[in-house]
Amino acid sequence: MAAVAGKLMNSLKSKEFREYLASTHFWGPVANWGIPLAAIADTQKDAAMISGKMTLALSLYSIMFMRFAWRVQPRNMLLFACHFTNECAQLTQGGRFINHHYLGGKEKEESSS
């Protein structure tokens, strides 16, 4: 176990890791994490506030950038994970939007109040 910890510490101290932390390959995805975190937080809000057009746009955006993150060399798995998370959150929001506006969610909400 100590050998594994020593290897990890050596790799964290390496020049390559410091260069990675100073690159857009790292900071771009870190800055981008605000989008899926906001989408996840919005799943707790009222479904009437969801914009169908924006949800669709963000879903398409994340699909395109997941492909980009996979195809760019070297692969940017941090960016891929960010957009995969956002895609899941946007699909959840899209389902809530469709349920509320087209599958009777609005009527059920009005009848219960």
Side-chain angles (χ1 to χ4, degrees), residues 57-90:
L58 286 170
S59 290
L60 295 174
Y61 162 78
S62 282
I63 287 172
M64 287 188 298
F65 274 93
M66 275 195 303
R67 182 182 184 280
F68 170 80
W70 189 261
R71 299 289 303 226
V72 70
Q73 291 299 320
R75 283 190 175 140
N76 193 336
M77 296 309 289
L78 186 57
L79 184 64
F80 184 87
C82 172
H83 285 292
F84 180 80
T85 304
N86 189 47
E87 185 65 25
C88 294
Q90 294 304 327

Side-chain angles (χ1 to χ4, degrees), residues 35-52:
I35 297 169
L37 292 176
I40 291 168
D42 286 348
T43 61
Q44 303 304 311
K45 295 181 180 173
D46 185 19
M49 297 180 68
I50 300 170
S51 167

Side-chain angles (χ1 to χ4, degrees), residues 18-35:
R18 286 193 311 270
E19 287 176 356
Y20 173 68
L21 286 180
S23 72
T24 57
H25 225 67
F26 175 76
W27 287 107
V30 167
N32 229 0
W33 270 100
I35 297 169

